[in-house]
């Protein structure tokens, strides 16, 4: 079955919040957008809770963001679903469902924009509060500029990547380098990366 977009949620021991995350997404997106949860190294009830909310699940013993994303995509394929694009969403509810919906609508109107990056808005207060995360993200953005020619002030974990482009990128860093690798590879390929402002909770 061919579908425009699918939600990909890498999940590592998120039993406390995965059900709420899935219910929020369903409330905004309805049942037409498949949701696949990639369980990576889970030792809690995340899988059972995700399936109880109607999500497809894939599972691996390997811990890592990229491992979770890949097994979620495999779960879609196993269910006979061929998606035009993948939207990568946090399992812990950090991404607002309305921002996910914005990415979908933008892609539907601009199919030539194959990489949509949800950049968290720069706010001085959040930098002061989360300096330990914000500074490394900025430094990685500078690294991306050096290697790929494009600068980003954030890694943008909420993102939409068109399926054919995702296959061209062929990400191989399956732990903490998953997000920055995709941005650098896309920039090196000369792909246009469209940034959309989002708010992280």
């Amino acid at each position: 079955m061919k579908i425009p977009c699918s939600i990909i949620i890498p999940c590592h021991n998120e039993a406390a919040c995965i059900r709420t995350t899935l219910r929020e997404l369903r409330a905004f997106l309805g049942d037409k957008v498949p949701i696949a949860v990639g369980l990576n190294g889970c030792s809690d009830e995340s899988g059972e809770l995700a399936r109880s909310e109607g999500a497809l699940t894939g599972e691996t013993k390997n811990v890592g963001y990229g491992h979770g994303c890949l097994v979620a995509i495999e779960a879609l394929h196993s269910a006979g679903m061929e998606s035009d694009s993948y939207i990568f969403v946090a399992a812990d509810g950090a991404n607002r469902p309305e921002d996910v919906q914005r990415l979908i609508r933008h892609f539907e109107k601009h199919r030539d924009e194959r990489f949509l990056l949800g950049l968290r808005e720069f706010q001085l207060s959040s930098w002061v509060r989360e300096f330990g995360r914000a500074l490394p993200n900025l430094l990685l953005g500078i690294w991306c500029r050096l290697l790929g020619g494009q600068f980003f002030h954030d890694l943008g974990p909420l993102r939409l990547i068109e399926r054919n482009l995702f296959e061209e990128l062929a990400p191989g860093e399956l732990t903490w380098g998953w997000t920055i690798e995709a941005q650098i590879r896309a920039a090196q390929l000369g792909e246009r990366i469209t940034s959309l402002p989002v708010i992280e909770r």
Side-chain angles (χ1 to χ4, degrees):
M1 179 172 60
K2 194 71 176 292
I3 46 181
C5 300
S6 296
I7 306 294
I8 302 300
I9 302 179
C11 175
H12 174 69
N13 290 341
E14 298 287 2
C17 49
I18 188 65
R19 175 175 280 174
T20 300
T21 297
L22 293 171
R23 288 180 178 176
E24 283 189 339
L25 288 169
R26 283 284 178 232
F28 267 81
L29 306 177
D31 296 325
K32 294 183 179 180
V33 180
I35 299 177
V37 175
L39 306 160
N40 59 103
C42 285
S43 58
D44 64 4
E45 298 178 347
S46 295
E48 291 86 343
L49 294 172
R51 287 186 286 273
S52 73
E53 296 298 324
L56 298 169
T57 58
E59 190 165 1
T60 176
K61 294 180 180 178
N62 298 316
V63 177
Y65 192 91
H67 287 294
C69 291
L70 289 184
V71 294
I73 291 171
E74 289 170 7
L76 283 172
H77 294 168
S78 297
M81 296 182 182
E82 184 179 346
S83 181
D84 290 339
S85 66
Y86 304 123
I87 306 174
F88 300 91
V89 178
D92 62 3
N95 304 132
R96 302 188 310 167
E98 52 264 49
D99 287 332
V100 175
Q101 190 177 58
R102 282 179 55 233
L103 263 64
I104 294 174
R105 289 177 175 172
H106 189 97
F107 177 70
E108 290 173 343
K109 292 180 180 179
H110 307 278
R111 288 297 188 107
D112 59 321
E113 298 179 18
R114 303 197 299 164
F115 198 135
L116 304 181
L117 196 63
L119 286 183
R120 291 168 286 197
E121 294 180 342
F122 175 83
Q123 295 178 341
L124 182 60
S125 60
S126 65
W127 262 63
V128 172
R129 187 174 60 252
E130 301 183 25
F131 184 77
R133 183 182 67 178
L135 179 61
N137 281 351
L138 178 61
L139 294 176
L140 286 170
I142 295 171
W143 186 38
C144 188
R145 170 71 178 180
L146 294 173
L147 295 179
Q150 295 189 46
F151 170 76
F152 306 94
H153 71 263
D154 187 19
L155 296 184
L158 175 61
R159 56 184 56 200
L160 180 150
I161 304 177
E162 189 262 345
R163 178 176 54 85
N164 291 330
L165 175 60
F166 179 79
E167 293 174 357
E168 289 177 44
L169 298 177
E173 172 47 61
L174 301 180
T175 53
W176 309 116
W178 172 268
T179 51
I180 189 64
E181 181 188 22
Q183 286 170 232
I184 291 173
R185 279 291 294 142
Q188 290 175 336
L189 291 173
E191 189 67 34
R192 175 184 177 185
I193 300 177
T194 300
S195 299
L196 300 175
V198 300
I199 296 174
E200 184 172 80
R201 298 184 292 189

